[in-house]
Amino acid sequence: MTRHPIRPRRSVLYMPGSNARAQEKAKMLPVDGLILDLEDATAPDAKEAARELVCKNAREGGYGSREVIIRVNGADTPWGAADLAAASAARPHAVLLPKVERPETVALAARALDEAGAHDTVLWCMMETPLGVLRVESIASASPRVACLVMGTSDLSKDLHALHTRERLPMLTSLGLCLLAARAHHLSILDGVHLDLDDEAGFRAACQQGLELGFDGKTLIHPKQVAACNEVFSPAPAAIEHARRVMAAFQAAREGGAGVAVLDGKLVESLHAAEAERLVALADALAAAG
C-alpha cells in the first residue's frame, strides 16, 4: 500500500537556488529529481532573487519527467513565509521543509498549499535534527500531503557530535527510526548526501548501504554522483524478471484456490507477491520516464 503513486526517486540533486545556469543545465541530467534550494545553498543576500528565479523555473517547467522540488527556508527565518507563499503559487511537484521538528510545521505548510490551490503539490520533510528524528512518527503522519522524508545527515552529524565514517555507524539509529516511520505511513524516504566528491568508492558504498537499509534513493550534491547512484538504486533486470515470475506464480496459485505457490523450490506467499509488485511498478515507472 502506498499513500502516493510510486515514482522513481533514485537520485535527487540539490541545485543552488541562485544559480540560473545550473538550473538550466539540470534539464539535461539523467536525474530523477531536482531540489531547487532556497535554504542552505543560497546566501542571505541572494535569497529574494533566488526565490524569484526558482519559482519562475518551477512554473515554466521544461524538466521533462524529473520531479521538481523547492526547498524553502524555515518558518522561523526572515524568508520562510514569503518562500512558502511563492512556492505554493509556483506549484512544483513538492515543497521541501527544512529542519522539521514538529507536526505543526507540516500542518501550516499544508494549509498554505491548500489556500494557494496547489492541490497536486506534496510536502517533503527534512529530518536533520535530533528532536526531529525523535518526533518523526508524528511528522510523517501530520498531513496526507506528506509524501517523502529526506535525511539531512550533515546537520544531524553536527548536532550529534558524531563523526563521518565509511560505515556510518553513528547514523544508523536515526536512519532506522526514520525508515520505520516512513514505511509505517507509506512514504518515500531518501538517504542523505555524501560530501566527499573525490571518494567514489565511499560514495558507491554509501549508496549500496542505503539500498540495503531500504531507502528509495539518495540526495546528491553534484552531477558527477548521478550515474553511480542511479546504477545502485535501479532494479536489476534479473530481479525484475524474477519478480514477474513470482507475481505470475502467486496469481496462478490463487486462481487454483491455493494461498501459496512454489517457485524454483521456494515458497511464495502474499508478502513475496506484494514486494514483487512494488519492484515491477518501480521498473515500469522508470521505463515510462525514459
mmCIF file of all heavy atoms in Angstrom, residues 71-117:
data_model
loop_
_atom_site.group_PDB
_atom_site.id
_atom_site.type_symbol
_atom_site.label_atom_id
_atom_site.label_comp_id
_atom_site.label_asym_id
_atom_site.label_seq_id
_atom_site.Cartn_x
_atom_site.Cartn_y
_atom_site.Cartn_z
ATOM 1 N N ARG A 71 13.069 23.693 -2.038
ATOM 2 C CA ARG A 71 13.331 23.712 -0.599
ATOM 3 C C ARG A 71 13.265 25.159 -0.123
ATOM 4 O O ARG A 71 14.055 26.002 -0.544
ATOM 5 C CB ARG A 71 14.688 23.107 -0.239
ATOM 6 C CG ARG A 71 14.921 23.169 1.279
ATOM 7 C CD ARG A 71 15.976 22.223 1.796
ATOM 8 N NE ARG A 71 17.336 22.648 1.500
ATOM 9 C CZ ARG A 71 18.422 22.129 2.105
ATOM 10 N NH1 ARG A 71 18.288 21.175 3.028
ATOM 11 N NH2 ARG A 71 19.625 22.531 1.759
ATOM 12 N N VAL A 72 12.324 25.428 0.765
ATOM 13 C CA VAL A 72 12.121 26.765 1.300
ATOM 14 C C VAL A 72 12.971 26.956 2.552
ATOM 15 O O VAL A 72 13.498 25.996 3.126
ATOM 16 C CB VAL A 72 10.637 27.005 1.624
ATOM 17 C CG1 VAL A 72 9.784 26.914 0.354
ATOM 18 C CG2 VAL A 72 10.135 26.008 2.670
ATOM 19 N N ASN A 73 13.092 28.199 2.985
ATOM 20 C CA ASN A 73 13.704 28.485 4.269
ATOM 21 C C ASN A 73 12.709 28.205 5.383
ATOM 22 O O ASN A 73 11.487 28.180 5.166
ATOM 23 C CB ASN A 73 14.166 29.936 4.315
ATOM 24 C CG ASN A 73 15.416 30.175 3.482
ATOM 25 O OD1 ASN A 73 16.524 29.897 3.908
ATOM 26 N ND2 ASN A 73 15.222 30.681 2.271
ATOM 27 N N GLY A 74 13.206 28.008 6.571
ATOM 28 C CA GLY A 74 12.354 27.687 7.701
ATOM 29 C C GLY A 74 11.387 28.800 8.063
ATOM 30 O O GLY A 74 11.659 29.988 7.808
ATOM 31 N N ALA A 75 10.280 28.419 8.658
ATOM 32 C CA ALA A 75 9.253 29.396 9.017
ATOM 33 C C ALA A 75 9.752 30.418 10.033
ATOM 34 O O ALA A 75 9.198 31.520 10.134
ATOM 35 C CB ALA A 75 8.027 28.672 9.568
ATOM 36 N N ASP A 76 10.800 30.080 10.771
ATOM 37 C CA ASP A 76 11.322 30.985 11.789
ATOM 38 C C ASP A 76 12.422 31.906 11.252
ATOM 39 O O ASP A 76 13.082 32.603 12.022
ATOM 40 C CB ASP A 76 11.863 30.188 12.980
ATOM 41 C CG ASP A 76 12.957 29.208 12.578
ATOM 42 O OD1 ASP A 76 13.135 28.963 11.360
ATOM 43 O OD2 ASP A 76 13.631 28.671 13.482
ATOM 44 N N THR A 77 12.610 31.939 9.934
ATOM 45 C CA THR A 77 13.602 32.819 9.311
ATOM 46 C C THR A 77 12.901 34.008 8.657
ATOM 47 O O THR A 77 11.686 33.984 8.448
ATOM 48 C CB THR A 77 14.406 32.065 8.237
ATOM 49 O OG1 THR A 77 13.543 31.797 7.113
ATOM 50 C CG2 THR A 77 14.971 30.759 8.787
ATOM 51 N N PRO A 78 13.646 35.062 8.309
ATOM 52 C CA PRO A 78 13.024 36.214 7.651
ATOM 53 C C PRO A 78 12.430 35.905 6.280
ATOM 54 O O PRO A 78 11.635 36.691 5.770
ATOM 55 C CB PRO A 78 14.193 37.211 7.527
ATOM 56 C CG PRO A 78 15.189 36.792 8.551
ATOM 57 C CD PRO A 78 15.065 35.299 8.638
ATOM 58 N N TRP A 79 12.837 34.769 5.683
ATOM 59 C CA TRP A 79 12.401 34.463 4.314
ATOM 60 C C TRP A 79 11.353 33.351 4.244
ATOM 61 O O TRP A 79 10.765 33.128 3.186
ATOM 62 C CB TRP A 79 13.616 34.032 3.482
ATOM 63 C CG TRP A 79 14.782 34.927 3.662
ATOM 64 C CD1 TRP A 79 14.994 36.152 3.084
ATOM 65 C CD2 TRP A 79 15.915 34.682 4.511
ATOM 66 N NE1 TRP A 79 16.173 36.680 3.511
ATOM 67 C CE2 TRP A 79 16.770 35.811 4.390
ATOM 68 C CE3 TRP A 79 16.293 33.640 5.357
ATOM 69 C CZ2 TRP A 79 17.977 35.906 5.091
ATOM 70 C CZ3 TRP A 79 17.483 33.735 6.051
ATOM 71 C CH2 TRP A 79 18.313 34.851 5.925
ATOM 72 N N GLY A 80 11.119 32.659 5.341
ATOM 73 C CA GLY A 80 10.309 31.450 5.306
ATOM 74 C C GLY A 80 8.893 31.653 4.797
ATOM 75 O O GLY A 80 8.425 30.915 3.911
ATOM 76 N N ALA A 81 8.195 32.625 5.329
ATOM 77 C CA ALA A 81 6.791 32.831 4.947
ATOM 78 C C ALA A 81 6.667 33.200 3.477
ATOM 79 O O ALA A 81 5.801 32.676 2.754
ATOM 80 C CB ALA A 81 6.168 33.903 5.836
ATOM 81 N N ALA A 82 7.528 34.102 3.007
ATOM 82 C CA ALA A 82 7.466 34.506 1.604
ATOM 83 C C ALA A 82 7.860 33.351 0.682
ATOM 84 O O ALA A 82 7.284 33.186 -0.398
ATOM 85 C CB ALA A 82 8.377 35.709 1.374
ATOM 86 N N ASP A 83 8.854 32.564 1.109
ATOM 87 C CA ASP A 83 9.246 31.387 0.317
ATOM 88 C C ASP A 83 8.073 30.431 0.139
ATOM 89 O O ASP A 83 7.800 29.951 -0.966
ATOM 90 C CB ASP A 83 10.382 30.633 1.013
ATOM 91 C CG ASP A 83 11.740 31.274 0.832
ATOM 92 O OD1 ASP A 83 11.842 32.271 0.082
ATOM 93 O OD2 ASP A 83 12.690 30.773 1.445
ATOM 94 N N LEU A 84 7.394 30.142 1.238
ATOM 95 C CA LEU A 84 6.301 29.171 1.186
ATOM 96 C C LEU A 84 5.151 29.676 0.330
ATOM 97 O O LEU A 84 4.569 28.924 -0.461
ATOM 98 C CB LEU A 84 5.815 28.855 2.601
ATOM 99 C CG LEU A 84 4.766 27.762 2.721
ATOM 100 C CD1 LEU A 84 5.235 26.459 2.081
ATOM 101 C CD2 LEU A 84 4.421 27.525 4.190
ATOM 102 N N ALA A 85 4.836 30.965 0.449
ATOM 103 C CA ALA A 85 3.757 31.539 -0.366
ATOM 104 C C ALA A 85 4.122 31.489 -1.846
ATOM 105 O O ALA A 85 3.295 31.109 -2.694
ATOM 106 C CB ALA A 85 3.484 32.974 0.069
ATOM 107 N N ALA A 86 5.354 31.859 -2.170
ATOM 108 C CA ALA A 86 5.778 31.861 -3.572
ATOM 109 C C ALA A 86 5.864 30.445 -4.133
ATOM 110 O O ALA A 86 5.448 30.188 -5.269
ATOM 111 C CB ALA A 86 7.130 32.562 -3.701
ATOM 112 N N ALA A 87 6.393 29.526 -3.341
ATOM 113 C CA ALA A 87 6.492 28.138 -3.792
ATOM 114 C C ALA A 87 5.110 27.530 -3.994
ATOM 115 O O ALA A 87 4.886 26.770 -4.944
ATOM 116 C CB ALA A 87 7.290 27.316 -2.793
ATOM 117 N N SER A 88 4.171 27.850 -3.115
ATOM 118 C CA SER A 88 2.811 27.331 -3.264
ATOM 119 C C SER A 88 2.191 27.818 -4.565
ATOM 120 O O SER A 88 1.516 27.061 -5.275
ATOM 121 C CB SER A 88 1.957 27.768 -2.071
ATOM 122 O OG SER A 88 2.461 27.248 -0.857
ATOM 123 N N ALA A 89 2.430 29.083 -4.897
ATOM 124 C CA ALA A 89 1.875 29.639 -6.136
ATOM 125 C C ALA A 89 2.563 29.065 -7.364
ATOM 126 O O ALA A 89 1.945 28.920 -8.424
ATOM 127 C CB ALA A 89 2.009 31.160 -6.114
ATOM 128 N N ALA A 90 3.857 28.720 -7.242
ATOM 129 C CA ALA A 90 4.597 28.179 -8.382
ATOM 130 C C ALA A 90 4.204 26.736 -8.695
ATOM 131 O O ALA A 90 4.420 26.259 -9.807
ATOM 132 C CB ALA A 90 6.097 28.249 -8.099
ATOM 133 N N ARG A 91 3.666 26.043 -7.712
ATOM 134 C CA ARG A 91 3.168 24.677 -7.867
ATOM 135 C C ARG A 91 4.192 23.692 -8.432
ATOM 136 O O ARG A 91 3.961 23.063 -9.490
ATOM 137 C CB ARG A 91 1.886 24.681 -8.709
ATOM 138 C CG ARG A 91 0.799 25.541 -8.088
ATOM 139 C CD ARG A 91 -0.514 25.486 -8.807
ATOM 140 N NE ARG A 91 -1.464 26.410 -8.200
ATOM 141 C CZ ARG A 91 -2.720 26.570 -8.577
ATOM 142 N NH1 ARG A 91 -3.185 25.850 -9.576
ATOM 143 N NH2 ARG A 91 -3.511 27.433 -7.964
ATOM 144 N N PRO A 92 5.304 23.513 -7.750
ATOM 145 C CA PRO A 92 6.230 22.448 -8.125
ATOM 146 C C PRO A 92 5.626 21.097 -7.753
ATOM 147 O O PRO A 92 4.533 21.036 -7.191
ATOM 148 C CB PRO A 92 7.464 22.767 -7.276
ATOM 149 C CG PRO A 92 6.872 23.382 -6.036
ATOM 150 C CD PRO A 92 5.701 24.200 -6.508
ATOM 151 N N HIS A 93 6.332 20.027 -8.042
ATOM 152 C CA HIS A 93 5.840 18.726 -7.609
ATOM 153 C C HIS A 93 5.792 18.633 -6.083
ATOM 154 O O HIS A 93 4.883 18.010 -5.520
ATOM 155 C CB HIS A 93 6.736 17.607 -8.157
ATOM 156 C CG HIS A 93 6.691 17.487 -9.645
ATOM 157 N ND1 HIS A 93 7.667 17.983 -10.475
ATOM 158 C CD2 HIS A 93 5.768 16.924 -10.457
ATOM 159 C CE1 HIS A 93 7.351 17.731 -11.735
ATOM 160 N NE2 HIS A 93 6.210 17.087 -11.753
ATOM 161 N N ALA A 94 6.790 19.249 -5.430
ATOM 162 C CA ALA A 94 6.846 19.163 -3.971
ATOM 163 C C ALA A 94 7.511 20.396 -3.396
ATOM 164 O O ALA A 94 8.314 21.068 -4.062
ATOM 165 C CB ALA A 94 7.612 17.913 -3.534
ATOM 166 N N VAL A 95 7.180 20.689 -2.149
ATOM 167 C CA VAL A 95 7.871 21.699 -1.350
ATOM 168 C C VAL A 95 8.587 20.957 -0.226
ATOM 169 O O VAL A 95 7.970 20.147 0.475
ATOM 170 C CB VAL A 95 6.898 22.740 -0.773
ATOM 171 C CG1 VAL A 95 7.601 23.642 0.245
ATOM 172 C CG2 VAL A 95 6.281 23.575 -1.896
ATOM 173 N N LEU A 96 9.880 21.217 -0.082
ATOM 174 C CA LEU A 96 10.697 20.563 0.939
ATOM 175 C C LEU A 96 10.874 21.506 2.122
ATOM 176 O O LEU A 96 11.400 22.612 1.971
ATOM 177 C CB LEU A 96 12.054 20.179 0.354
ATOM 178 C CG LEU A 96 13.090 19.559 1.296
ATOM 179 C CD1 LEU A 96 12.535 18.321 1.996
ATOM 180 C CD2 LEU A 96 14.364 19.231 0.532
ATOM 181 N N LEU A 97 10.433 21.057 3.292
ATOM 182 C CA LEU A 97 10.531 21.847 4.518
ATOM 183 C C LEU A 97 11.813 21.476 5.259
ATOM 184 O O LEU A 97 12.050 20.295 5.515
ATOM 185 C CB LEU A 97 9.321 21.578 5.420
ATOM 186 C CG LEU A 97 7.939 21.795 4.799
ATOM 187 C CD1 LEU A 97 6.850 21.403 5.798
ATOM 188 C CD2 LEU A 97 7.766 23.249 4.358
ATOM 189 N N PRO A 98 12.645 22.455 5.622
ATOM 190 C CA PRO A 98 13.900 22.142 6.297
ATOM 191 C C PRO A 98 13.716 21.961 7.801
ATOM 192 O O PRO A 98 12.798 22.517 8.408
ATOM 193 C CB PRO A 98 14.754 23.381 6.007
ATOM 194 C CG PRO A 98 13.760 24.497 5.983
ATOM 195 C CD PRO A 98 12.506 23.895 5.359
ATOM 196 N N LYS A 99 14.583 21.136 8.375
ATOM 197 C CA LYS A 99 14.694 21.002 9.837
ATOM 198 C C LYS A 99 13.328 20.891 10.533
ATOM 199 O O LYS A 99 13.040 21.583 11.510
ATOM 200 C CB LYS A 99 15.486 22.178 10.406
ATOM 201 C CG LYS A 99 16.910 22.250 9.871
ATOM 202 C CD LYS A 99 17.649 23.458 10.419
ATOM 203 C CE LYS A 99 19.094 23.472 9.918
ATOM 204 N NZ LYS A 99 19.185 23.666 8.424
ATOM 205 N N VAL A 100 12.513 19.987 10.041
ATOM 206 C CA VAL A 100 11.181 19.803 10.631
ATOM 207 C C VAL A 100 11.322 19.121 11.994
ATOM 208 O O VAL A 100 11.957 18.065 12.104
ATOM 209 C CB VAL A 100 10.277 18.973 9.702
ATOM 210 C CG1 VAL A 100 8.891 18.810 10.325
ATOM 211 C CG2 VAL A 100 10.179 19.629 8.328
ATOM 212 N N GLU A 101 10.711 19.712 13.001
ATOM 213 C CA GLU A 101 10.812 19.170 14.350
ATOM 214 C C GLU A 101 9.460 18.946 15.017
ATOM 215 O O GLU A 101 9.407 18.354 16.098
ATOM 216 C CB GLU A 101 11.645 20.096 15.240
ATOM 217 C CG GLU A 101 13.098 20.185 14.839
ATOM 218 C CD GLU A 101 13.951 20.942 15.836
ATOM 219 O OE1 GLU A 101 13.430 21.915 16.429
ATOM 220 O OE2 GLU A 101 15.122 20.561 16.034
ATOM 221 N N ARG A 102 8.392 19.414 14.374
ATOM 222 C CA ARG A 102 7.068 19.240 14.988
ATOM 223 C C ARG A 102 6.003 19.144 13.899
ATOM 224 O O ARG A 102 6.138 19.743 12.822
ATOM 225 C CB ARG A 102 6.754 20.387 15.944
ATOM 226 C CG ARG A 102 6.937 21.766 15.349
ATOM 227 C CD ARG A 102 6.726 22.855 16.395
ATOM 228 N NE ARG A 102 7.620 22.679 17.515
ATOM 229 C CZ ARG A 102 8.870 23.155 17.554
ATOM 230 N NH1 ARG A 102 9.354 23.813 16.508
ATOM 231 N NH2 ARG A 102 9.626 22.971 18.607
ATOM 232 N N PRO A 103 4.937 18.416 14.162
ATOM 233 C CA PRO A 103 3.881 18.253 13.146
ATOM 234 C C PRO A 103 3.177 19.552 12.800
ATOM 235 O O PRO A 103 2.648 19.698 11.695
ATOM 236 C CB PRO A 103 2.933 17.240 13.782
ATOM 237 C CG PRO A 103 3.239 17.257 15.240
ATOM 238 C CD PRO A 103 4.683 17.599 15.360
ATOM 239 N N GLU A 104 3.179 20.511 13.720
ATOM 240 C CA GLU A 104 2.515 21.791 13.445
ATOM 241 C C GLU A 104 3.157 22.511 12.257
ATOM 242 O O GLU A 104 2.469 23.206 11.497
ATOM 243 C CB GLU A 104 2.565 22.680 14.693
ATOM 244 C CG GLU A 104 1.705 22.200 15.849
ATOM 245 C CD GLU A 104 2.373 21.100 16.661
ATOM 246 O OE1 GLU A 104 3.558 20.773 16.395
ATOM 247 O OE2 GLU A 104 1.700 20.580 17.573
ATOM 248 N N THR A 105 4.455 22.357 12.090
ATOM 249 C CA THR A 105 5.147 22.958 10.943
ATOM 250 C C THR A 105 4.594 22.405 9.632
ATOM 251 O O THR A 105 4.378 23.141 8.665
ATOM 252 C CB THR A 105 6.654 22.673 11.028
ATOM 253 O OG1 THR A 105 7.161 23.217 12.248
ATOM 254 C CG2 THR A 105 7.394 23.281 9.842
ATOM 255 N N VAL A 106 4.358 21.119 9.609
ATOM 256 C CA VAL A 106 3.810 20.473 8.422
ATOM 257 C C VAL A 106 2.381 20.934 8.174
ATOM 258 O O VAL A 106 1.994 21.232 7.035
ATOM 259 C CB VAL A 106 3.856 18.945 8.576
ATOM 260 C CG1 VAL A 106 3.269 18.259 7.359
ATOM 261 C CG2 VAL A 106 5.286 18.474 8.821
ATOM 262 N N ALA A 107 1.586 21.026 9.226
ATOM 263 C CA ALA A 107 0.195 21.432 9.092
ATOM 264 C C ALA A 107 0.079 22.849 8.528
ATOM 265 O O ALA A 107 -0.781 23.128 7.673
ATOM 266 C CB ALA A 107 -0.515 21.338 10.446
ATOM 267 N N LEU A 108 0.940 23.757 8.987
ATOM 268 C CA LEU A 108 0.914 25.134 8.487
ATOM 269 C C LEU A 108 1.281 25.181 7.008
ATOM 270 O O LEU A 108 0.667 25.914 6.221
ATOM 271 C CB LEU A 108 1.878 26.001 9.299
ATOM 272 C CG LEU A 108 1.425 26.361 10.716
ATOM 273 C CD1 LEU A 108 2.556 27.053 11.482
ATOM 274 C CD2 LEU A 108 0.196 27.266 10.675
ATOM 275 N N ALA A 109 2.278 24.404 6.610
ATOM 276 C CA ALA A 109 2.663 24.371 5.200
ATOM 277 C C ALA A 109 1.554 23.771 4.338
ATOM 278 O O ALA A 109 1.278 24.261 3.234
ATOM 279 C CB ALA A 109 3.953 23.576 5.036
ATOM 280 N N ALA A 110 0.902 22.732 4.830
ATOM 281 C CA ALA A 110 -0.206 22.118 4.089
ATOM 282 C C ALA A 110 -1.338 23.114 3.895
ATOM 283 O O ALA A 110 -1.962 23.173 2.831
ATOM 284 C CB ALA A 110 -0.695 20.881 4.829
ATOM 285 N N ARG A 111 -1.585 23.915 4.925
ATOM 286 C CA ARG A 111 -2.642 24.929 4.825
ATOM 287 C C ARG A 111 -2.292 25.967 3.757
ATOM 288 O O ARG A 111 -3.161 26.412 2.987
ATOM 289 C CB ARG A 111 -2.846 25.605 6.172
ATOM 290 C CG ARG A 111 -4.092 26.501 6.248
ATOM 291 C CD ARG A 111 -4.317 27.003 7.659
ATOM 292 N NE ARG A 111 -4.338 25.890 8.603
ATOM 293 C CZ ARG A 111 -3.682 25.864 9.758
ATOM 294 N NH1 ARG A 111 -2.956 26.904 10.130
ATOM 295 N NH2 ARG A 111 -3.767 24.821 10.551
ATOM 296 N N ALA A 112 -1.017 26.356 3.686
ATOM 297 C CA ALA A 112 -0.595 27.323 2.678
ATOM 298 C C ALA A 112 -0.801 26.771 1.272
ATOM 299 O O ALA A 112 -1.237 27.491 0.364
ATOM 300 C CB ALA A 112 0.870 27.698 2.893
ATOM 301 N N LEU A 113 -0.486 25.491 1.069
ATOM 302 C CA LEU A 113 -0.706 24.867 -0.235
ATOM 303 C C LEU A 113 -2.189 24.811 -0.561
ATOM 304 O O LEU A 113 -2.603 25.053 -1.701
ATOM 305 C CB LEU A 113 -0.105 23.461 -0.245
ATOM 306 C CG LEU A 113 1.426 23.368 -0.182
ATOM 307 C CD1 LEU A 113 1.859 21.922 -0.015
ATOM 308 C CD2 LEU A 113 2.060 23.972 -1.428
ATOM 309 N N ASP A 114 -3.003 24.490 0.431
ATOM 310 C CA ASP A 114 -4.452 24.448 0.222
ATOM 311 C C ASP A 114 -4.982 25.811 -0.214
ATOM 312 O O ASP A 114 -5.772 25.928 -1.157
ATOM 313 C CB ASP A 114 -5.164 24.006 1.501
ATOM 314 C CG ASP A 114 -4.943 22.536 1.825
ATOM 315 O OD1 ASP A 114 -4.581 21.780 0.906
ATOM 316 O OD2 ASP A 114 -5.131 22.165 2.991
ATOM 317 N N GLU A 115 -4.545 26.845 0.494
ATOM 318 C CA GLU A 115 -5.037 28.196 0.212
ATOM 319 C C GLU A 115 -4.596 28.691 -1.153
ATOM 320 O O GLU A 115 -5.282 29.487 -1.788
ATOM 321 C CB GLU A 115 -4.564 29.158 1.306
ATOM 322 C CG GLU A 115 -5.214 28.890 2.660
ATOM 323 C CD GLU A 115 -4.608 29.699 3.785
ATOM 324 O OE1 GLU A 115 -3.571 30.382 3.528
ATOM 325 O OE2 GLU A 115 -5.147 29.665 4.914
ATOM 326 N N ALA A 116 -3.441 28.194 -1.625
ATOM 327 C CA ALA A 116 -2.950 28.584 -2.946
ATOM 328 C C ALA A 116 -3.570 27.744 -4.058
ATOM 329 O O ALA A 116 -3.324 28.005 -5.245
ATOM 330 C CB ALA A 116 -1.431 28.465 -2.999
ATOM 331 N N GLY A 117 -4.355 26.748 -3.698
ATOM 332 C CA GLY A 117 -4.951 25.869 -4.698
ATOM 333 C C GLY A 117 -3.965 24.913 -5.329
ATOM 334 O O GLY A 117 -4.211 24.381 -6.420
#
